[in-house]
Amino acid sequence: MTQYRTLDDAKDLAGKTALVRVDFNVPMENGKVTEDTRLRVALPTINRLRDAGARVALLAHFDRPKGKVVPSMSLEPVVDDLEHLLGAPVRFASDCVGGGARAMIADLPLGGVVLLENVRFHPGEEANDPTFARQLAELGDVYVNDAFSAAHRAHASTEGLARLLPAYAGESMRRELDALDAALGKPQKPVIGIVGGAKVSTKLDLLKNLVGKLDRLAIGGGMANTFMFAQGIDIGGSLAEKDMADTAREILADAAAKGCEILLPVDLVIATAVKPGAAARTVQAGDALSADDKILDAGPASVARLTAAIDASKTLIWNGPLGVFEVPPFDAATVAVARHVAARAKSGVLVAVGGGGDTVAALHHAGVADDMTFVSTAGGAFLEWMEGKPLPGVEALQV
């Protein structure tokens, strides 16, 4: 991974104003924050800047107001929760640019914090408009990006602003980049990947990138059905993208050419209904299935094969569940593998990095999210990084 500037490179912050891009796009209900993870991950950066004597002005978005002021998408409800977590006052500015924001920042004591209103209330944010970026830059002396989850967007507050001020990665951003570099950039080999989920079509770029980087790749979920169908294996009435069969065969051929072993399920958990406690049975991949049979999870032999492959690996990267984990008993394979991975990571013999919404939910469902080496909550940015795509918000921080 290319070197990027961090707060270790920032000198003499006392008395300066740091514009900090955070991700406060938190779950909210009736004007109240219902889950504060994204607030908590910003605290190390905010506190480091406060301890250095800087004034801290927080830039963030909430929801999709599409360049218009939408009162229900204001960031003001976040202030109380942030104050509680920070243990210090947090002021709120009703705009993110202009005289009002400038005056409020100037009035802050050293170490003071202000949250500026939703940057997406301005059309210039998502358009990465240079004029809007300059208006933001006028408010501060240095820029800190602590929102990896927004780094795949070339917006004014994620990319444009970084070109106008001395720019650094915040603590959360640095932790994310270091973990991802350990997983795919400069990993300890052998490296194994787990990719699951419903559709091959949504993860084509991901699969094509990974087969050139991994020693083994396990494919699960509905995606595995498509690959099995492409190989002539009976999948009954299972979810699959049959029109992607040629593409699946191309990926298998590419993996073979690049020395990446593909692991598909060798036994299957099937049922005729997707509902909790549904009657299920285990069959071998290749057995004849009826039109009503649906493949909903990988079987115990597949789990044993995968955990053995994990034991032979030093690094693992995970995106997507192995079955319909939201509906027991079709969570068995995902839970078993997650617990095995977490135990290996906790013992220090495996670097295990997971990310993506379903993956994070599955790891929490298995009760092991805290035992992984790193779990990314960045969603789209994590996926684009796994696909090998450049992330504008990260590139702007390069040395």
Side-chain angles (χ1 to χ4, degrees):
M1 181 177 287
T2 305
Q3 290 296 306
Y4 51 90
R5 295 179 295 273
T6 72
L7 287 174
D8 290 346
D9 302 306
K11 309 299 181 188
D12 303 322
L13 290 170
K16 293 182 178 178
T17 295
L19 299 177
V20 185
R21 181 54 160 99
V22 291
D23 181 1
F24 285 175
N25 194 26
V26 293
M28 200 135 12
E29 195 171 309
N30 299 321
K32 298 290 184 182
V33 176
T34 57
E35 210 286 317
D36 65 2
T37 298
R38 287 180 167 176
L39 305 184
R40 287 187 281 109
V41 298
L43 297 180
T45 293
I46 297 171
N47 282 324
R48 180 167 179 174
L49 291 166
R50 293 181 68 226
D51 291 345
R55 297 179 177 88
V56 181
L58 302 173
L59 298 166
H61 75 274
F62 179 73
D63 214 327
R64 299 177 182 274
K66 300 185 184 302
K68 297 176 181 173
V69 176
V70 180
S72 63
M73 297 180 189
S74 172
L75 281 165
E76 189 168 11
V78 171
V79 171
D80 287 346
D81 293 82
L82 185 58
E83 280 190 331
H84 175 73
L85 291 169
L86 201 56
V90 176
R91 299 184 187 181
F92 180 73
S94 59
D95 200 352
C96 61
V97 292
R102 190 179 301 109
M104 189 164 286
I105 291 170
D107 191 49
L108 284 177
L110 298 184
V113 180
V114 59
L115 175 61
L116 306 181
E117 184 57 285
N118 194 338
V119 290
R120 289 188 179 175
F121 281 180
H122 292 264
E125 163 63 3
E126 293 188 79
N128 198 8
D129 178 65
T131 300
F132 181 63
R134 283 194 295 272
Q135 289 177 313
L136 291 170
E138 288 170 1
L139 301 177
D141 304 297
V142 298
Y143 169 75
V144 180
N145 192 339
D146 210 30
F148 177 79
S149 53
H152 59 314
R153 307 297 188 199
H155 292 172
S157 69
T158 61
E159 199 270 346
L161 184 52
R163 307 292 184 184
L164 300 174
L165 295 174
Y168 309 95
E171 299 298 280
S172 175
M173 172 78 86
R174 167 164 52 183
R175 183 166 175 257
E176 185 105 29
L177 293 175
D178 287 350
L180 300 185
D181 195 36
L184 273 189
K186 296 189 290 288
Q188 299 179 55
K189 289 182 167 288
V191 188
I192 186 169
I194 300 174
V195 176
K199 295 183 176 182
V200 174
S201 57
T202 61
K203 296 189 177 180
L204 265 182
D205 290 342
L206 171 62
L207 294 168
K208 290 177 179 178
N209 186 49
L210 290 183
V211 296
K213 294 180 176 292
L214 303 177
D215 299 291
R216 292 186 179 93
L217 173 61
I219 299 175
M223 295 173 58
N225 300 341
T226 300
F227 276 85
M228 287 188 288
F229 172 79
Q231 293 182 312
I233 295 171
D234 191 347
I235 62 170
S238 305
L239 171 72
E241 293 178 289
K242 295 181 178 180
D243 61 333
M244 297 294 292
D246 286 344
T247 301
R249 285 188 285 268
E250 288 170 8
I251 291 170
L252 291 170
D254 191 32
K258 292 177 177 174
C260 175
E261 181 185 3
I262 300 292
L263 302 178
L264 291 169
V266 293
D267 59 343
L268 315 164
V269 176
I270 65 172
T272 57
V274 188
K275 61 182 181 182
R281 70 185 199 276
T282 301
V283 300
Q284 299 305 301
D287 286 356
L289 303 181
S290 76
D292 293 331
D293 288 331
K294 297 177 177 61
I295 301 168
L296 301 174
D297 200 9
S302 300
V303 170
R305 182 176 179 234
L306 179 50
T307 54
I310 290 166
D311 289 346
S313 303
K314 292 185 177 180
T315 303
L316 175 142
I317 186 161
W318 191 342
N319 177 256
L322 299 174
V324 188
F325 79 95
E326 304 93 337
V327 185
F330 310 116
D331 58 346
T334 299
V335 169
V337 172
R339 290 177 178 170
H340 188 84
V341 167
R344 301 281 294 174
K346 194 173 182 179
S347 67
V349 296
L350 181 72
V351 173
V353 175
D358 285 346
T359 313
V360 174
L363 293 171
H364 280 290
H365 175 72
V368 298
D370 292 340
D371 293 331
M372 298 284 285
T373 307
F374 186 77
V375 177
S376 173
T377 59
F382 177 81
L383 189 60
E384 290 197 18
W385 167 80
M386 284 184 69
E387 291 170 351
K389 295 177 180 176
L391 305 181
V394 174
E395 291 199 322
L397 305 175
Q398 291 178 0
V399 173

